[in-house]
Amino acid sequence: MALNIPAIEAQAELHHQYLLGLELMVATREGPEIVGNWMFRLFRRQHEDKFLSSFRKLGLDGLPDAVACAKYHVLSNGVGGVAVEYMEESDTKAWVRFRYPRWMYDGAVICGVPVEASRGVLRGWYGQNGVSLGNPRLGFVCVSEDMTGQFGLCGYFREYDHDLTEDERLVFAPDERPPPFDPAKQPEPPPGEWNAERLAKANRNYAVEYIRNGVRELVNVLGRERALELCHLAARLTGLQHYRHMAEAVGGRDGGPEEAAGFLAAMFAGMGDECRVDPFDDGAILHQTGLRIVRGLEGAERDTLLSCWIEIWRGAVHSQRMFMDVDCTVSETGLVWKITGSSR
């Protein structure tokens, strides 16, 4: 399949927007404590899945732990399109500062996310670094947070001269400030490995992985019925709201069933999925195989995530001027979409 970077980038942005919408929906429907717990579980899952396995890919083996952790967050976030600055004071103290606009809370979304969500992120990931590295002396000191109106998420990894208790692995020091930023010391990925294609795919995978783990962990927090209620509604709204941006990216046209199927096929190519469109008299059928979104998942977990993901695309089709019905059949090998003009 020919590489289609605009479609890959459109998928990255779509999944990012779905994450933001779902986070707002949980915060407004379930409250600060619940969204904070969900973010904790999501980021702990992300940490366990990605943290250690990415060290070698990013060329961080052999560095002091505090330095390696700070550089890791700069490099891994940079691959996902998130701007983070690095400031090193010593082998045992290294800073990270996230710059605005914040990827995690795009645009005005930041105004609707409670501080409990950010602290769930910090506890789930940053406070766990020392544990994962087998270094009980390594912790994170947060000096600024997003929701408090300071200067963005900022803090430093510090290796102490004693083992830390669980409560000491993440602490807050809002009166401290980072040292001056020196762009000459900003870490960069290993040369020759991160071309435009790999960066586009990494950015997409970065956003997609948040959805894969986010839906799973929201089910663990709220139970399947309530989680699906929120996940489905947020997915449908994201598709409705974001259709025009996606269509512009992949050359989609607001028309009838055949145009809608063509739009879906173009977007699914951005996931690396294979598609075939078969038009018929008053509609079109799209056969989709590959399903990167659920790759490696089985059983109820696969079914749950697919049911949410399908709602994104229902919303996208329903955003068009013509009223259309969208039926989707799930099989072990893929999805079959049937799009017809609506009689309603």
Side-chain angles (χ1 to χ4, degrees):
M1 179 182 296
L3 179 67
N4 188 340
I5 288 182
I8 295 172
E9 292 174 339
Q11 286 288 1
E13 180 61 15
L14 169 70
H15 287 85
H16 176 204
Q17 293 300 319
Y18 180 30
L19 173 69
L20 297 177
L22 187 54
E23 190 168 356
L24 284 177
M25 188 158 287
V26 174
T28 56
R29 268 67 164 187
E30 299 295 325
E33 183 178 345
I34 294 297
V35 76
N37 184 24
W38 176 42
M39 286 293 106
F40 165 75
R41 296 181 68 113
L42 169 56
F43 275 80
R44 180 60 56 86
R45 169 77 69 168
Q46 295 280 96
H47 179 94
E48 291 171 349
D49 287 351
K50 301 295 182 183
F51 182 59
L52 291 180
S53 64
S54 300
F55 255 63
R56 182 166 298 171
K57 296 177 185 177
L58 296 172
L60 299 172
D61 287 346
L63 295 176
D65 285 345
V67 170
C69 285
K71 288 187 174 183
Y72 172 89
H73 287 83
V74 172
L75 294 172
S76 62
N77 279 285
V79 166
V82 181
V84 187
E85 293 179 348
Y86 170 83
M87 290 78 70
E88 179 181 330
E89 284 196 42
S90 68
D91 285 352
T92 58
K93 186 178 181 182
W95 292 74
V96 290
R97 180 183 178 185
F98 286 73
R99 301 305 308 276
Y100 286 109
R102 289 284 280 114
W103 183 92
M104 191 66 193
Y105 311 109
D106 188 36
V109 167
I110 197 168
C111 301
V113 178
V115 72
E116 286 84 353
S118 178
R119 292 181 180 175
V121 171
L122 291 170
R123 289 192 302 114
W125 191 302
Y126 291 73
Q128 189 71 3
N129 282 15
V131 175
S132 295
L133 291 172
N135 184 347
R137 301 183 305 280
L138 184 69
F140 185 75
V141 180
C142 179
V143 307
S144 174
E145 301 175 84
D146 289 303
M147 291 75 187
T148 54
Q150 294 168 271
F151 54 91
L153 180 59
C154 180
Y156 56 88
F157 293 95
R158 179 181 174 186
E159 185 170 347
Y160 294 81
D161 58 5
H162 62 277
D163 290 358
L164 304 179
T165 65
E166 183 174 354
D167 290 341
E168 292 174 324
R169 293 173 193 155
L170 170 66
V171 295
F172 295 85
D175 295 329
E176 296 191 41
R177 292 292 179 268
F181 172 67
D182 182 353
K185 295 182 179 179
Q186 184 81 348
E188 297 181 357
E193 297 184 14
W194 294 93
N195 57 26
E197 175 183 347
R198 188 175 181 188
L199 282 171
K201 289 181 177 179
N203 195 2
R204 175 200 63 198
N205 296 344
Y206 184 87
V208 166
E209 201 63 25
Y210 277 106
I211 296 304
R212 283 167 54 95
N213 284 328
V215 170
R216 171 195 292 163
E217 292 304 330
L218 191 59
V219 169
N220 290 334
V221 171
L222 296 179
R224 190 172 188 272
E225 182 177 354
R226 179 57 172 161
L228 283 182
E229 183 181 350
L230 298 182
C231 287
H232 286 179
L233 180 56
R236 180 78 67 95
L237 288 171
T238 300
L240 286 162
Q241 181 80 342
H242 205 59
Y243 163 71
R244 184 166 296 183
H245 297 289
M246 295 187 286
E248 289 173 354
V250 301
R253 189 159 63 89
D254 192 340
E258 190 171 347
E259 288 79 13
F263 159 75
L264 292 180
M267 282 299 299
F268 296 155
M271 294 291 282
D273 296 350
E274 297 282 349
C275 294
R276 186 184 82 247
V277 176
D278 296 327
F280 60 92
D281 287 346
D282 61 346
I285 294 177
L286 184 149
H287 302 267
Q288 178 187 4
T289 58
L291 296 186
R292 175 181 292 275
I293 187 65
V294 290
R295 190 170 295 175
L297 302 183
E298 298 178 349
E301 199 167 82
R302 181 181 188 270
D303 295 341
T304 296
L305 181 56
L306 270 181
S307 75
C308 301
W309 200 68
I310 287 168
E311 289 303 307
I312 295 176
W313 307 108
R314 289 190 197 277
V317 173
H318 290 159
S319 182
Q320 299 181 51
R321 180 172 290 112
M322 180 177 179
F323 293 102
M324 289 177 271
D325 292 326
V326 182
D327 293 318
C328 184
T329 303
V330 180
S331 71
E332 291 185 3
T333 58
L335 301 176
V336 178
W337 302 81
K338 183 178 181 181
I339 306 173
T340 55
S342 176
S343 59
R344 291 175 295 173

